[in-house]
Amino acid sequence: MKRAVVAYIPVLHEGYRRFLERHPYPVFLLPRLEKDVRALEPELIARALEAWGREILTEPPGPDTTLYLPDEDSSHEAVARDFPRHAVFYDPVFLRWDKTRTVQLLEPRPIATTDELARRAEEQANKSVDWWRQVGAAIRFADGTIEAARNQHLPHETSPYEDGDPRSNFFKGVHLELSTAEHAEANLIARAARDGKATAGATVYVTDFPCPPCAKLLAGAGIAKLIYRTGYAVLDGQQVLEQAGVEVVLAA
């Protein structure tokens, strides 16, 4: 099956990078909108994408090609105008509240688990206002009690939106320590220490695999089992956990 990305990309930012990462197909760029005076020319975007190793299509994909587009007004207009016979999938790249997103009817997102530990972590993740990544974590202590936390910025949750987020100055995975955010796992361990609750033998559920510093915290805290829903291990995080005897499990 032939597949291609069709997109109007006025600027390159983290949302488009993630979109392109999810859809690693040749890219056909839509022309710049005349009213979008701050947009880069498609030729500049094409050169940047080629530097990322992406193939750029110079001709529109044929009707035998499945298309993947950002879920934006410009994409819907392009499909109606130029690609009415194609199989099309839309994937959100949230930049702004455009007309399509404003009136879109969304299915509620219930937490797909009956396990209390996972439910509490997922609830916390949904409450995080961190644009970089919403993460929740929950710990079940040896006595069966549960505490949950989310990643949040300090000294207050909106700090990066008022003062700027230092993480935006670096690529993903670089200088993880330079952040105004307190990670969910670190929050849990710090609160347990404050309240005098033993973490040895506890089970932790995280919505995203721990970063290396948090993996070391969990290992040092004597966590017996780590359940994660999604994510990837960076640097030595997984090795540290396994060396400490932590059972690492992908949530079913």
Side-chain angles (χ1 to χ4, degrees), residues 82-180:
D82 302 323
F83 307 103
R85 297 165 52 196
H86 291 67
V88 174
F89 291 91
Y90 295 102
D91 188 4
V93 179
F94 187 78
L95 277 175
R96 58 196 176 276
W97 285 105
D98 58 20
K99 182 172 64 177
T100 301
R101 291 186 63 85
T102 301
V103 300
Q104 184 180 17
L105 299 177
L106 301 174
E107 289 286 340
R109 293 182 296 177
I111 296 168
T113 180
T114 56
D115 181 80
E116 180 68 10
L117 189 67
R119 186 186 69 79
R120 295 277 295 276
E122 298 288 353
E123 281 182 346
Q124 286 293 316
N126 289 334
K127 293 178 181 178
S128 173
V129 299
D130 193 336
W131 76 272
W132 187 270
R133 181 173 297 155
Q134 290 181 299
V135 178
I139 183 170
R140 180 181 286 118
F141 297 102
D143 63 2
T145 58
I146 294 175
E147 295 286 344
R150 63 183 177 274
N151 61 321
Q152 56 187 341
H153 290 269
L154 299 173
H156 53 83
E157 285 195 313
T158 59
S159 291
Y161 311 111
E162 297 180 14
D163 305 323
D165 187 353
R167 291 293 304 125
S168 64
N169 295 312
F170 303 98
F171 292 106
K172 182 170 64 175
V174 178
H175 286 304
L176 295 171
E177 76 283 2
L178 298 180
S179 172
T180 59

Side-chain angles (χ1 to χ4, degrees), residues 49-66:
L49 294 182
E50 286 175 333
W52 289 0
R54 301 304 295 264
E55 177 185 353
I56 303 299
L57 299 175
T58 57
E59 297 292 333
D64 59 341
T65 303
T66 299

